Amino acid sequence: MSLLNPWWALVAAVITVPLLILLYVLKLRRQTLRMASTMLWHASTEDLQANVPFQRLRRSLLLALQLLLLATLIAALSRPVLQAPTSASRVVLLIDRSASMNALEAGGVDPERGTRRRLDAALDAARQVVERLGRRSEPAELMVVAFASSAQVITGFESNRRLLLEAIDSIEPTDERADLDAALNLTGAFARRDETTDQPPPDVLLISDGGVGEPAATSSAGGFSLRAGNLRFVGVGPEAGSPVNNVGIAAFSARRDYQQPGRVLVFARLVNAGGQPVETTVTLRVDGEPVDIKPARIPAAGPDGLGEAAFTSSVEIPAAAVLTLTCGHRDDLSADNTAALVLRPPVAPRVGLIHAGPAPDRFLLGLLEAMEPQRLAVLPAGAEPGSVVDLDWPWADDELDLIVFDRVAPRDPGSVPTLTFGAAGQGVSARPPGRRAARVLSWDRLHPIMRHVSLDALVYTGVGGFELPDGWTALATGPDGPVIAVLAAGPARHVLVGFSLTDSNWPMDVSITVFLQNVVDYLMLAAGEAALSFRPGDPIIVRARPDATELSVKGPLAVTVPVEPGEEVALPTLRRVGLYAVRGAVPPMDRVAVNMISDAESDIRPRRSLVVNAQEAEAAAPGEAAPLELWPGLAVAALGLLVLEWIVYCLRMRG
């Protein structure tokens, strides 16, 4: 507890307390009178003895009550307040509404309010801040900001308590990830605006369970960055170290098999945030029908992170479908217990092959034919091997999914993905070979194109290495530089292989088949779009049907969007997980799966400290979210003491 007016209270005490005591020790002086008779000398002598300036202070109930009344009034004058994270005149209330804030509080159910979440506790704490700061003699101005993956200003700086409470009540939960960096950047913008005035920067009062993601890489050494003002942290949820109960799906993906496109390979990763191992069942459904049910044992979480277990399955799905994975464990957070994927039907690519010389490389042509493309068009470039050519091919951009260049390279590849063997173009120059034959020294095994590709036995000739401009990424490097590279930026992706297949022993190795399939998946986005899903808050673009005038979105949230026929539009932000039906959209975007899929949000263990500007901010309890002034209670107590003192005085006068 602290005092807002200690000096005024001290001055009042120094003046009033001695005066009150003086009233009880002073006696009234009487005038000296001459007596006509000596009969009253004795009484006069006694009266003179009593007529001294001071008398001994005796016990008095009235004096005790009056002193207590005076002490109460002086204490109220000092304006005592309970200690709190902030007492600034301007405060930004930063309220976390990410997925972990939907976890049930300890006990799970409130007898009066039913199911109670951490967000409910956060909103209660925010209301306390408004009520307490609004009762001060100089009410504070508050700004309310809600954040998850992005920050939203609910109301600007305002001192009207009714408006502030309405703004807090309007905050809705989301299943998004928390991004505290984005929220602090937003509040920092308002703080910089205050630098042009005489007002001090506002304090930032963060109300959260502490699951706010990781700081940006540029500021991770000093934690989160707040450019102006002080950050105060109010923690909600269970105390640090308290047991929690949550099992969630942290990864869910599906792709079609390379050799059997009708077979779908499913992978999922399950995490456990609790302190005890969990045994549960995991169910995979296709269009609502169970196709695979497996038991899972997920280890307990430890100081190094969450407990993890894997789920894999292989299912025959020859057409488009919706895959749903469900974890049967009942816990404190339901948003991560189910995940869904919208599976595309298998689509054969449409490929064009442009070659140098009179005929294409026979092995390359055979590989492309073995992929059984929907269309394979072959066109001679009419140029020498290694040439960079300007081609006016007889295909529209939407007629082909991939163009393969054999020993020639396009100067301008356009908007169609390309794979080039044995030539360099598109701003990439090649160094001459420094030796007769060379081996690959290293390659990026984590890149999707090089996944499961082994180049240990590869020997090539005819190229030294690429000099890559900005935007290109080296995938494989020889003694004289990169020999395989990819350009992922721009309207389409492009892959360069510096040597031709005839100038290497790659056709003798099975890895060339894997490489080519990876390239097709990567360039056509087949691997990424074989199964579609989004995270809450992600932008989602759909195309309306030619006869549609509106899109009707139905699911956990429902909304209608007017559109022009055939128009591409962005759906309103879908902040809750679930499967949405988009009536009027072109398939496969007529069904949209939104999944939480976040280790950070599934880890509902509360954090009780954050590092901000290289300083540790400890969490305060929700009840300490704002200073509580005690003078109103003291004033009421003083009034009661005054009534009691008057009653005692009346009783004495009657006696």
Side-chain angles (χ1 to χ4, degrees):
M1 187 174 69
S2 61
L3 305 177
L4 299 183
N5 289 331
W7 295 110
W8 284 108
L10 180 62
V11 171
V14 169
I15 295 175
T16 58
V17 173
L19 288 177
L20 176 62
I21 297 176
L22 195 62
L23 292 176
Y24 280 84
V25 299
L26 284 179
K27 294 199 66 177
L28 179 64
R29 287 184 176 274
R30 296 179 174 84
Q31 295 181 354
T32 302
L33 300 176
R34 294 182 178 275
M35 296 295 185
S37 172
T38 61
M39 294 176 60
L40 301 175
W41 277 114
H42 183 71
S44 299
T45 302
E46 292 179 353
D47 189 45
L48 286 172
Q49 291 177 352
N51 194 25
V52 293
F54 300 97
Q55 64 176 335
R56 182 170 60 85
L57 188 63
R58 301 176 181 180
R59 292 182 181 178
S60 171
L61 180 58
L62 282 176
L63 175 60
L65 289 174
Q66 290 165 356
L67 283 174
L68 187 58
L69 171 63
L70 194 59
T72 305
L73 291 174
I74 292 172
L77 182 62
S78 69
R79 294 180 62 192
V81 295
L82 293 179
Q83 293 286 3
T86 183
S87 58
S89 60
R90 304 176 77 237
V91 178
V92 177
L93 277 179
L94 203 55
I95 301 174
D96 183 0
R97 59 170 178 172
S98 61
S100 64
M101 295 293 286
N102 293 319
L104 299 180
E105 285 196 294
V109 175
D110 184 281
E112 298 180 356
R113 302 176 59 181
T115 302
R116 182 171 170 82
R117 304 158 300 172
R118 295 177 183 180
L119 182 60
D120 298 323
L123 298 182
D124 286 345
R127 295 185 188 101
Q128 290 183 33
V129 174
V130 171
E131 292 289 351
R132 293 183 179 183
L133 292 182
R135 286 200 299 263
R136 301 194 313 186
S137 58
E138 297 180 1
E141 290 186 332
L142 287 88
M143 172 186 287
V144 180
V145 178
F147 78 97
S149 60
S150 60
Q152 178 185 1
V153 176
I154 307 299
T155 182
F157 284 109
E158 178 63 60
S159 58
N160 187 307
R161 281 191 289 173
R162 181 181 62 82
L163 295 178
L164 290 169
L165 292 175
E166 289 177 356
I168 292 172
D169 292 340
S170 70
I171 296 176
E172 297 181 348
T174 75
D175 294 322
E176 300 176 11
R177 294 170 292 173
D179 187 350
L180 182 58
D181 272 318
L184 293 181
N185 286 337
L186 178 64
T187 57
F190 288 97
R192 290 196 301 273
R193 183 184 304 174
D194 293 335
E195 291 175 356
T196 61
T197 67
D198 295 334
Q199 289 182 316
D203 275 4
V204 178
L205 190 61
L206 170 65
I207 306 178
S208 169
D209 61 356
V212 291
E214 296 296 329
T218 55
S219 61
S220 58
F224 296 97
S225 176
L226 179 62
R227 299 183 181 181
N230 297 316
L231 184 136
R232 313 295 182 184
F233 177 25
V234 173
V236 296
E239 295 296 325
S242 300
V244 297
N245 177 25
N246 187 52
V247 170
I249 301 171
F252 184 35
S253 62
R255 62 167 298 161
R256 296 191 176 276
D257 187 84
Y258 286 123
Q259 304 300 329
Q260 305 178 50
R263 177 160 292 277
V264 177
L265 307 177
V266 179
F267 170 81
R269 183 166 59 88
L270 310 174
V271 295
N272 178 16
Q276 299 295 328
V278 171
E279 294 185 358
T280 184
T281 57
V282 182
T283 304
L284 177 65
R285 292 179 171 86
V286 177
D287 291 332
E289 295 296 326
V291 296
D292 195 2
I293 302 175
K294 292 182 178 180
R297 187 181 189 278
I298 313 172
D304 296 332
L306 300 171
E308 295 187 5
F311 172 88
T312 58
S313 183
S314 177
V315 187
E316 195 72 28
I317 309 176
V322 174
L323 277 63
T324 306
L325 191 71
T326 304
C327 177
H329 182 69
R330 297 187 61 183
D331 50 38
D332 294 341
L333 183 62
S334 60
D336 58 357
N337 292 344
T338 301
L341 295 173
V342 177
L343 185 68
R344 287 176 175 267
V347 178
R350 299 169 298 175
V351 181
L353 175 60
I354 300 177
H355 59 87
D361 182 282
R362 294 178 59 186
F363 187 80
L364 178 58
L365 179 61
L367 285 176
L368 294 176
E369 290 174 343
M371 293 174 57
E372 298 183 355
Q374 181 179 343
R375 175 186 181 187
L376 179 57
V378 181
L379 179 69
E384 294 297 323
S387 301
V388 177
V389 295
D390 294 311
L391 292 176
D392 185 17
W393 47 71
W395 313 303
D397 286 350
D398 59 354
E399 292 184 28
L400 294 179
D401 301 310
L402 172 66
I403 300 178
V404 179
F405 290 89
D406 177 21
R407 293 165 291 166
V408 293
R411 194 179 309 277
D412 181 10
S415 60
V416 181
T418 64
L419 168 62
T420 303
F421 285 95
Q426 310 169 49
V428 178
S429 59
R431 304 186 188 96
R435 48 186 55 79
R436 189 174 184 84
R439 289 181 177 272
V440 172
L441 301 180
S442 64
W443 64 94
D444 185 355
R445 292 172 170 84
L446 300 180
H447 196 279
I449 292 178
M450 307 305 294
R451 188 181 299 125
H452 309 304
V453 176
S454 175
L455 302 180
D456 287 322
L458 177 61
V459 178
Y460 62 90
T461 61
V463 66
F466 293 135
E467 294 182 0
L468 299 176
D470 293 339
W472 286 84
T473 301
L475 299 181
T477 303
D480 300 317
V483 291
I484 303 177
V486 61
L487 175 65
R493 300 175 176 182
H494 306 282
V495 176
L496 284 181
V497 179
F499 50 87
S500 65
L501 294 183
T502 56
D503 291 334
S504 72
N505 66 343
W506 212 358
M508 308 300 294
D509 196 313
V510 70
S511 65
I512 181 59
T513 305
V514 179
F515 172 80
L516 189 60
Q517 185 64 60
N518 286 350
V519 168
V520 172
D521 287 343
Y522 183 77
L523 294 183
M524 296 175 55
L525 299 181
E529 295 189 8
L532 297 176
S533 72
F534 301 88
R535 285 192 170 100
D538 283 354
I540 302 175
I541 308 296
V542 302
R543 181 181 294 277
R545 291 181 179 272
D547 58 346
T549 58
E550 68 175 21
L551 299 178
S552 177
V553 182
K554 293 186 178 181
L557 302 174
V559 66
T560 300
V561 182
V563 296
E564 296 292 333
E567 179 187 12
E568 278 194 352
V569 297
L571 295 180
T573 304
L574 303 179
R575 302 186 185 277
R576 304 308 301 267
V577 301
L579 184 65
Y580 294 82
V582 186
R583 184 176 301 172
V586 174
M589 296 301 292
D590 56 342
R591 292 178 293 183
V592 174
V594 179
N595 304 317
M596 197 176 91
I597 307 297
S598 171
D599 290 65
E601 296 301 325
S602 292
D603 188 358
I604 64 172
R605 294 176 293 180
R607 285 79 165 174
R608 285 297 174 259
S609 65
L610 295 172
V611 178
V612 180
N613 295 342
Q615 295 183 349
E616 190 169 11
E618 295 290 340
E624 303 171 357
L628 178 61
E629 294 202 29
L630 304 180
W631 69 265
L634 293 173
V636 172
L639 180 61
L641 289 172
L642 181 62
V643 173
L644 180 61
E645 190 267 349
W646 178 76
I647 293 174
V648 172
Y649 174 77
C650 291
L651 291 176
R652 285 200 170 187
M653 292 298 294
R654 181 178 296 181

